[in-house]
Amino acid sequence: MADRLKGRNAVVTGGGRGIGKAVALALAEEGANVVVCDIGGAVDGSGVDKTPADEVVEECKKLGVKAIAQCGDVSKFADAEAAVKACVDNFGRIDIVCNIAGIDRPKMIWNMSEEEWDQVVAVHLKGTFNFIRNAAPLMREQRYGRIINTVSEAFTGGPSHLNYAAAKGGIATLTYGAARELGRYGVTCNAICPRAWTRMTADDKVIEGIKKRIAAGLMPADQLDRMMNELADPSYFAAFVAYLASDEAANVNGQIFFVSGTELGHWTQPVVENKVTRDWKKEGPWRFDELVKLVPEKLLVGYVNPAPPQPEEKK
Amino acid sequence: MADRLKGKNAVVTGAGSGIGKAVALALAAEGANVVACDLGGSTDGKGASAEPANETAEECKKLGVQAVPAFGDVSDFKAAEGMIQACVDNFGRIDILCNVAGIDRARMIWNMSEEEWDQVIAVHLKGTFNMSKHACVKMRQQRYGRIVNTISEAWVGTVGHVNYGAAKGGIASLTYAIAWEMGRYGVTCNAICPRAATRMTMGPEVLEGYKKRVESGLWSQERYEEVTHVATPDYLAVIPAFLCSDEAAHINGCIFGAAGAFFSYWAPAHESVIFGRDWDKYGPWTWEEVAKCVPTLLKGYVNPAPPEEEKKK
């Protein structure tokens, strides 16, 4: 056991399995005490099971740290409050929050139900807010804290689960915002954008879905092969999260990192790439004819339509 | 009246005032029929009034198009369906959807109530989903549609209202995803990042808040001047109207900055500086490796809010 996080106390959501479990163990490995939060449900959010959280608690303890299980629902404000409080009550204070809990209920927009939208946004986006909101006053007061959220490449586009994508886009911005608000108090907020072999990314149903999308031309033909080659177990990059949670990363704030067994990367923020300015008092409102010229010539230089119109298939 | 949108039918949310009203009138000026949706509440989402939507509908009619008001709450899935259906029932079909409705309830994260978070996310993010979902069902069948969403520069990080920022970040991703899913059916989805003088951006309370930010050092004086010296929304309204036209058939999944003083294109977040390796051979990343890689990953990075010494009380 190393001791770079010795004396630190962490809350890890989704800590029962997959990426959350790997992160909980990586923090424990470095000496942090851990509150393992996991409702123990299925990938689609159904069901409850205390076993996964309990098992990870036992594994953490074997590494020589204190650990307790919490089986609340991250999308419930009061459950998040209870998990943060459990960390303070059991270990004395809260230094680290890792928001990893997530579910997926993919559907194209024209088929997506209100419930599918609500549930995915609630678990990811509201869940992340709930934990930050409850930890922030304590971290601000003690002038120390590390928050690490989880986003996904889906936040810059892609078909078939825009509930998930929108939630992740919201978390990206929440990360930027919380970093700016809390940074001056010694609290950092960053996010990882992971690619790993978990039950959410690589069970039989997912692989079947990818095959279908390749067949429909929605994904490139080598998508599945690439995925198989690239997907390592989440334990391969869990040290990255532990690093972000450490004192060494005190000046890393508001950033999103791509992490996998194969690659480490940095996601740069959206930027204004091309801009036309003018004196509005002199020129008055923009005119349609101006735009028709400006857009292709000045703004969308090099742009490629991600999904151009296709002819209707004969039935 | 021009006729670049003649025969097209549009639904505009938040059409009773501000940017939404300017967009509704810009669409009407190009010949589109308009369902002017507005709950008629205040900028913090309180209250309701039929007057704003009614007035916009009347002004549209004066431009020679058909227009009807609608008063539903965009955050209500069923009400959203009703407003899309109103367009089909009144005008025959729906070609254009502009999601402009929004509210703001500013608070630092450590003070934000659950309700303040929920309400802002519901109106912006869920509202945009609700309207888009019901419109997409119809637009996919007819293989034609134009959706224009509204986000904000708060999308890339904001102080004082993370609820608003997160909702806008969600809408940005929603815009990309709808573009990917619907593009093949002749439907485009884009977004504008507007800067305009409205009651939300230039009301007396808001100006007070801006001044506080300058006083506390969060904003420079230049930033204040930049934010407060802006044109009214009618200066930029032709930008969404253009995105709703046939001329913009191949513009899809794009985010544009729109103001009287500028017109810009926002490139999406992208991945840069990648360390690659064979994971089978090397095993898990080690702490030392990570600590070595990060400074290179963050080349040129400046901490947006470095830790400060505690002020003496």
Side-chain angles (χ1 to χ4, degrees), chain A residues 92-154:
Chain A
R93 56 181 249 164
I94 176 168
D95 303 288
I96 299 164
V97 170
C98 298
N99 286 301
I100 303 179
I103 59 168
D104 195 15
R105 298 188 67 182
K107 203 79 78 142
M108 299 298 266
I109 188 170
W110 54 88
N111 289 325
M112 186 171 287
S113 71
E114 182 181 17
E115 191 230 337
E116 284 159 345
W117 169 271
D118 284 346
Q119 199 192 359
V120 170
V121 172
V123 171
H124 287 274
L125 182 55
K126 177 131 193 235
T128 301
F129 166 73
N130 284 344
F131 276 79
I132 298 178
R133 168 63 182 88
N134 280 293
L138 303 170
M139 289 178 168
R140 180 169 174 260
E141 191 64 31
Q142 74 199 15
R143 301 185 81 86
Y144 185 91
R146 298 283 180 267
I147 300 165
I148 295 128
N149 300 325
T150 310
V151 300
S152 152
E153 292 156 74

Side-chain angles (χ1 to χ4, degrees), chain A residues 85 112 209 286:
Chain A
K85 190 167 181 300
M112 186 171 287
W286 291 97

Side-chain angles (χ1 to χ4, degrees), chain B residues 12-26 28 34-38 50-63 65-71:
Chain B
V12 181
T13 74
S17 61
I19 296 170
K21 180 174 185 174
V23 170
L25 292 172
V34 177
V35 180
C37 308
D38 206 305
E51 210 174 307
N54 279 331
E55 274 179 19
T56 300
E58 286 312 311
E59 287 187 47
C60 287
K61 282 184 196 162
K62 284 190 195 136
L63 294 167
V65 300
Q66 299 175 64
V68 292
F71 315 104

Side-chain angles (χ1 to χ4, degrees), chain A residues 37-108:
Chain A
C37 306
D38 206 306
I39 197 169
V43 172
D44 67 0
S46 59
V48 177
D49 179 7
K50 203 166 172 294
T51 324
D54 283 340
E55 280 175 2
V56 175
V57 163
E58 288 314 310
E59 288 189 50
C60 286
K61 283 185 187 165
K62 280 188 200 139
L63 293 166
V65 299
K66 292 189 253 179
I68 54 165
Q70 280 280 312
C71 300
D73 177 347
V74 294
S75 73
K76 296 209 167 77
F77 194 79
D79 286 13
E81 191 175 14
V84 169
K85 190 167 181 300
C87 185
V88 175
D89 290 350
N90 282 277
F91 310 143
R93 56 181 249 164
I94 176 168
D95 303 288
I96 299 164
V97 170
C98 298
N99 286 301
I100 303 179
I103 59 168
D104 195 15
R105 298 188 67 182
K107 203 79 78 142
M108 299 298 266

Side-chain angles (χ1 to χ4, degrees), chain A:
Chain A
M1 192 184 109
D3 58 2
R4 294 183 189 95
L5 300 176
K6 201 171 162 65
R8 299 290 179 203
N9 308 313
V11 171
V12 180
T13 76
R17 278 187 276 233
I19 297 170
K21 176 178 178 174
V23 166
L25 292 172
L27 298 178
E29 182 78 35
E30 292 292 344
N33 302 316
V34 183
V35 179
V36 178
C37 306
D38 206 306
I39 197 169
V43 172
D44 67 0
S46 59
V48 177
D49 179 7
K50 203 166 172 294
T51 324
D54 283 340
E55 280 175 2
V56 175
V57 163
E58 288 314 310
E59 288 189 50
C60 286
K61 283 185 187 165
K62 280 188 200 139
L63 293 166
V65 299
K66 292 189 253 179
I68 54 165
Q70 280 280 312
C71 300
D73 177 347
V74 294
S75 73
K76 296 209 167 77
F77 194 79
D79 286 13
E81 191 175 14
V84 169
K85 190 167 181 300
C87 185
V88 175
D89 290 350
N90 282 277
F91 310 143
R93 56 181 249 164
I94 176 168
D95 303 288
I96 299 164
V97 170
C98 298
N99 286 301
I100 303 179
I103 59 168
D104 195 15
R105 298 188 67 182
K107 203 79 78 142
M108 299 298 266
I109 188 170
W110 54 88
N111 289 325
M112 186 171 287
S113 71
E114 182 181 17
E115 191 230 337
E116 284 159 345
W117 169 271
D118 284 346
Q119 199 192 359
V120 170
V121 172
V123 171
H124 287 274
L125 182 55
K126 177 131 193 235
T128 301
F129 166 73
N130 284 344
F131 276 79
I132 298 178
R133 168 63 182 88
N134 280 293
L138 303 170
M139 289 178 168
R140 180 169 174 260
E141 191 64 31
Q142 74 199 15
R143 301 185 81 86
Y144 185 91
R146 298 283 180 267
I147 300 165
I148 295 128
N149 300 325
T150 310
V151 300
S152 152
E153 292 156 74
F155 88 113
T156 57
S160 85
H161 54 172
L162 80 182
N163 45 358
Y164 183 87
K168 291 307 194 184
I171 296 172
T173 302
L174 181 55
T175 303
Y176 301 146
R180 291 192 186 197
E181 292 192 2
L182 292 164
R184 48 166 47 192
Y185 303 104
V187 180
T188 67
C189 182
N190 295 286
I192 56 164
C193 185
R195 202 184 286 163
W197 188 278
T198 69
R199 61 178 183 153
M200 190 192 277
T201 54
D203 74 356
D204 293 346
K205 210 175 139 195
V206 176
I207 290 169
E208 216 34 62
I210 290 172
K211 282 183 183 161
K212 260 199 204 163
R213 272 173 237 151
I214 293 171
L218 284 168
M219 279 182 170
D222 64 346
Q223 178 81 16
L224 196 58
D225 289 342
R226 279 199 299 131
M227 197 179 115
M228 295 299 184
N229 283 330
E230 284 169 13
L231 289 184
D233 183 84
S235 61
Y236 275 68
F237 59 73
F240 197 96
V241 180
Y243 169 80
L244 289 177
S246 76
D247 289 350
E248 292 195 35
N251 261 305
V252 180
N253 193 20
Q255 304 304 305
I256 299 178
F257 295 96
F258 177 84
V259 293
S260 76
T262 318
E263 291 174 3
L264 297 180
H266 178 232
W267 276 87
T268 57
Q269 286 199 353
V271 287
V272 173
E273 191 170 75
N274 299 308
K275 186 172 186 175
V276 183
T277 56
R278 71 215 268 272
D279 182 346
W280 58 271
K281 286 190 175 159
K282 207 169 112 196
E283 307 267 348
W286 291 97
R287 295 174 311 277
F288 200 100
D289 298 329
E290 263 180 306
L291 306 184
V292 173
K293 250 176 89 69
L294 278 177
V295 171
E297 287 174 15
K298 303 276 189 196
L299 297 189
L300 291 185
V301 182
Y303 157 81
V304 179
N305 186 344
Q310 303 290 323
E312 190 163 8
E313 280 160 35
K314 296 280 172 292
K315 276 166 196 163

